[in-house]
Amino acid sequence: MKTNFLKLIALVTLTFNIGCSSDETSGTTVPNLEGSVLQGNIISDLNVPAGNYNLKGVVVVKSGATLTIQPGTTFTVTTADQALGSNYLQVEQGGKIIANGTSSSPIVFTAQSTQIGAWGGLILNGKARINVAGGTEIAEAGGLVYGGTDDADSSGSLKYVRVEYAGAAITGGTAEYNAFSFFGLGTGTILENLQAYKGADDAFEFFGGSVNAINLAAFGCEDDNIDWDRGYRGTLSNIWIIQPSNGDFGFECSNLPVEFNSSPRSNPTVSNVTITGSGNVNKAAFNFKEGTAGIITNVKVTNAGYGVDLRNQLGQFQDGSLKINSASITFLTALTKNGISGDTTNIDSIFSLNASAVGANTAPFTTGTWIKNL
């Protein structure tokens, strides 16, 4: 009798552990996603076991909830759901996503149609500072509030995550979704080993905030690959960009379009960048405009029309707070292009040239299976 009772206890315990994920820090259990579709509002902690799922419609991780995704998981937007309207995953302020894949078991978000711009990508909204009036605003992608005063805010962790075929247009064409949209993220958010693959708009866009990122790959994205504005002040390290023939700028960088000197000023630190350009003689590797600052070091560029296209404001170039150090640039037309009407300043000195610059360290991108090649 006693033996049978112990067997029953063991069976119940095993069944419970299969159905839930244990949170070792709190001693509680987190329920697993039921079924094969991730959809709707996530209002409490949820775990997604490794496997294949559909992402359907607008999925929102609400404030106070954490969505945890296990390594080796793939989410697919079906062609049928694509036809019905918007599909994307976003995290609102106070919510978190923990999507930590590995180099051999990445977490992948894709589309069944393999059509560029099939869906809206990943959107994270944080509470770090941005430089708009009032300190917060509504995100152009997803329509949630972002910004605030907490530069150490955390929206979770993304590691070894690939987003494919994203960048669906917003109604009216005033803005577009990106593969990865980072709105006001703080330094508590972890961004490591991320790939944007064949997106219709930007690969990675940083709307203000102070978040840091390492090992970013953008392959085949039709618009800009790294875009920042609204006072972005983080550190970006090890970036590998391969543009398609219809690609736009490698980097498009702004402070704030409506007020070039708004504070805090966009002023990130960027290092180890490799860009294979689109071959378009009218497109630059770097487009600097509207008051951005920033120091970029160890750059290797090939097949770009220009090295830099400077627009709208010279102040940060003139005071040295906007600079590219140790750069090897192979350009088709000119090293720099001054897009400021009527200005004749020679801006070639924005570069400190070094023919031996090697750019990105590609080793992290070629380890495992997390990178998808063109």
Side-chain angles (χ1 to χ4, degrees):
M1 190 76 169
K2 185 174 183 180
T3 301
N4 290 338
F5 179 75
L6 291 175
K7 286 182 179 179
L8 178 62
I9 292 295
L11 179 61
V12 170
T13 301
L14 177 61
T15 303
F16 186 78
N17 286 339
I18 290 174
C20 299
S21 172
S22 176
D23 184 341
E24 296 179 358
T25 60
S26 64
T28 61
T29 56
V30 176
N32 288 338
L33 175 67
E34 296 182 0
S36 61
V37 180
L38 184 68
Q39 61 184 325
N41 291 334
I42 299 169
I43 61 175
S44 58
D45 293 354
L46 180 67
N47 178 68
V48 181
N52 297 313
Y53 302 88
N54 292 338
L55 189 152
K56 182 180 178 67
V58 176
V59 181
V60 183
V61 182
K62 304 294 287 183
S63 179
T66 297
L67 173 65
T68 301
I69 303 170
Q70 299 302 323
T73 299
T74 296
F75 295 93
T76 302
V77 175
T78 68
T79 302
D81 288 337
Q82 178 185 338
L84 290 175
S86 296
N87 300 272
Y88 54 86
L89 170 60
Q90 67 175 340
V91 180
E92 74 175 22
Q93 287 185 324
K96 290 185 179 181
I97 181 171
I98 308 297
N100 291 338
T102 68
S103 64
S104 57
S105 295
I107 293 167
V108 179
F109 294 84
T110 189
Q112 182 183 19
S113 68
T114 67
Q115 174 188 345
I116 292 178
W119 67 294
L122 300 186
I123 305 166
L124 277 63
N125 298 277
K127 300 178 181 180
R129 288 181 299 152
I130 60 176
N131 63 8
V132 303
T136 63
E137 70 173 359
I138 302 297
E140 67 175 41
L144 297 179
V145 173
Y146 75 101
T149 59
D150 185 4
D151 280 346
D153 182 46
S154 174
S155 296
S157 176
L158 302 179
K159 296 181 180 180
Y160 293 104
V161 174
R162 183 169 72 245
V163 172
E164 304 176 349
Y165 312 114
I170 294 174
T171 302
T174 57
E176 290 181 326
Y177 292 87
N178 309 295
F180 295 88
S181 299
F182 299 135
F183 290 92
L185 299 188
T187 55
T189 307
I190 298 172
L191 305 176
E192 298 179 2
N193 305 295
L194 309 179
Q195 184 185 22
Y197 182 82
K198 290 191 175 181
D201 200 60
D202 299 336
F204 302 92
E205 183 155 6
F206 298 84
F207 297 84
S210 52
V211 69
N212 305 316
I214 185 170
N215 298 336
L216 305 181
F219 290 6
C221 296
E222 293 182 344
D223 201 7
D224 312 306
N225 296 272
I226 303 292
D227 193 328
W228 69 64
D229 60 12
R230 284 162 172 73
Y232 173 60
R233 291 152 286 114
T235 297
L236 304 177
S237 177
N238 216 43
I239 299 167
W240 189 8
I241 294 168
I242 302 176
Q243 294 185 297
S245 60
N246 62 341
D248 207 348
F249 300 106
F251 282 59
E252 184 178 38
C253 310
S254 171
N255 184 45
L256 186 65
V258 297
E259 174 46 66
F260 299 168
N261 290 312
S262 185
S263 179
R265 187 182 300 278
S266 293
N267 188 18
T269 301
V270 183
S271 62
N272 307 333
V273 178
T274 293
I275 301 173
T276 301
S278 64
N280 186 334
V281 297
N282 296 311
K283 296 298 181 180
F286 299 93
N287 177 20
F288 297 128
K289 59 184 182 178
E290 298 159 351
T292 188
I295 303 298
I296 304 174
T297 303
N298 185 23
V299 174
K300 187 174 182 63
V301 177
T302 57
N303 205 38
Y306 293 86
V308 159
D309 186 345
L310 187 65
R311 302 183 184 184
N312 303 107
Q313 185 172 339
L314 286 170
Q316 283 56 61
F317 159 63
Q318 292 171 330
D319 69 19
S321 60
L322 178 62
K323 184 74 175 175
I324 300 177
N325 297 315
S326 189
S328 172
I329 307 288
T330 302
F331 50 84
L332 302 176
T333 303
L335 179 60
T336 59
K337 178 180 179 180
N338 189 348
I340 302 170
S341 178
D343 187 271
T344 59
T345 304
N346 185 338
I347 62 169
D348 283 3
S349 61
I350 199 169
F351 283 107
S352 172
L353 296 176
N354 175 9
S356 299
V358 297
N361 172 16
T362 59
F365 303 106
T366 55
T367 301
T369 59
W370 71 281
I371 287 291
K372 186 172 184 176
N373 294 316
L374 292 172

